[in-house]
């Protein structure tokens, strides 16, 4: 789908819609793709109309023009145009990592009915950001060095799965091999990866409360990329936010515990009273 976004020109987005009910937008993290939600979408489909999309320069969505600023204001403008083109007004928004940070900004902009942020990026200290970036960069460097055939072969061995996926998953042996392979290819091929990390060095990626929108913050207790202590900083800034911890889950809890993540999302995205 291609739409016009103010100040950005034509924007093309790859997305998938499934299910019925209130609209629920799913946003992935840096180096990931819309298939990050594949394990939970079928569980949500009987209750919500899910819209999973690839952010610019990730998955199958082309990157933005190099002259367009790579900042959160641009992300909000991009998503606002996409939602308008889809005819979706104030959906529930669920985001992971980078997508969680964007979801919080959509809530501030009045574009979300509710916000559920899984390990949202941007609530780090300088040392924590450098740690996260080092882990992400090392993972990307590793998969870019591997020929595709070798990556596929290694993804089918327990030791390699732990080495390749242990950074992101609390339970790297869980989930289909095909999911891990697709995730590694998405990380390898993400054209916006480096530009997004550069933009993330900005000194203040989020500030202010979201008083009129229900906010749920979700964090895996075994997150090695963004340590769960960062959740306290989100709560300090958004005092009304509900915090949920996911035992034994890593940075990508959708893979570790899809049933649990689905329950959390459904509880955090209640139907409007008139539609109950």
């Amino acid at each position: 789908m291609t739409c016009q976004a103010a100040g950005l020109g034509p924007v093309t987005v790859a997305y998938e819609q499934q299910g019925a009910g209130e609209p629920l937008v799913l946003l992935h993290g840096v180096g990931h793709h819309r298939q990050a939600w594949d394990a939970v979408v079928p569980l949500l489909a009987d209750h919500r109309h899910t819209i999973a999309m690839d952010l610019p320069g990730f998955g199958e969505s082309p990157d933005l023009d190099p002259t367009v600023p790579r900042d959160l204001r641009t992300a909000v403008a991009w998503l606002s145009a996409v939602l308008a083109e889809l005819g979706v007004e104030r959906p529930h928004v669920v985001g992971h990592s980078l997508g969680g940070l964007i979801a919080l900004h959509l809530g501030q902009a009045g574009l979300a009915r509710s916000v559920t942020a899984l390990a949202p990026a941007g609530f780090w200290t300088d040392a924590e950001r450098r740690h996260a970036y080092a882990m992400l960069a090392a993972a990307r460097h590793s998969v870019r060095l591997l020929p595709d055939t070798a990556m596929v072969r290694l993804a089918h061995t327990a030791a390699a799965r732990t080495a390749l996926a242990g950074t992101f998953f609390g339970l790297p042996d869980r989930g289909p091999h095909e999911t891990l392979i697709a995730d590694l290819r998405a990380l390898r091929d993400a054209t916006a990866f480096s530009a997004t990390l550069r933009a993330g060095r900005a000194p203040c990626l989020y500030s202010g409360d979201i008083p009129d929108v229900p906010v749920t913050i979700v964090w895996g207790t075994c997150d090695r990329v963004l340590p769960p202590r960062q959740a306290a900083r989100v709560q300090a800034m958004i005092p009304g936010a509900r915090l949920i911890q996911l035992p034994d889950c890593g940075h990508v809890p959708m893979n570790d515990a899809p049933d649990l993540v689905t329950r959390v999302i459904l509880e955090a995205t209640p139907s409007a009273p008139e539609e109950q």
Side-chain angles (χ1 to χ4, degrees), residues 202-245:
C204 183
L205 295 177
Y206 181 86
S207 63
D209 196 2
I210 311 178
D212 301 322
V213 175
V215 176
T216 301
I217 305 301
V218 185
W219 229 289
T221 60
C222 298
D223 192 330
R224 299 179 183 89
V225 179
L226 300 178
R229 61 178 174 268
Q230 296 179 16
R233 298 170 197 152
V234 188
Q235 272 202 310
M237 199 165 289
I238 310 173
R242 184 171 62 132
L243 174 61
I244 297 176
Q245 295 184 335

Side-chain angles (χ1 to χ4, degrees), residues 66-183:
T67 61
V68 174
R70 178 73 58 173
D71 56 22
L72 289 158
R73 181 178 296 181
T74 296
V76 170
W78 182 87
L79 281 161
S80 177
V82 170
L83 293 175
E85 184 70 18
L86 290 171
V88 175
E89 183 176 355
R90 294 194 74 232
H92 299 287
V93 181
V94 179
H96 167 246
S97 197
L98 168 65
L101 176 60
I102 293 172
L104 292 170
H105 279 271
L106 289 171
Q108 276 196 327
L111 297 173
R113 183 176 302 181
S114 72
V115 172
T116 305
L118 283 65
F123 294 89
W124 43 46
T125 63
D126 284 344
E128 288 169 345
R129 181 190 60 75
R130 290 194 296 271
H131 165 79
Y133 277 26
M135 296 185 80
L136 291 166
R140 178 167 158 90
H141 182 67
S142 296
V143 297
R144 295 185 80 185
L145 288 176
L146 280 176
D148 196 74
T149 52
M151 184 175 65
V152 170
R153 185 174 63 253
L154 288 170
H156 285 80
T157 67
R161 281 176 65 88
T162 299
L164 292 169
T167 297
F168 303 106
F169 305 144
L171 303 167
D173 289 333
R174 185 170 294 182
H177 299 110
E178 292 72 18
T179 297
L180 174 58
I181 294 166
D183 287 349

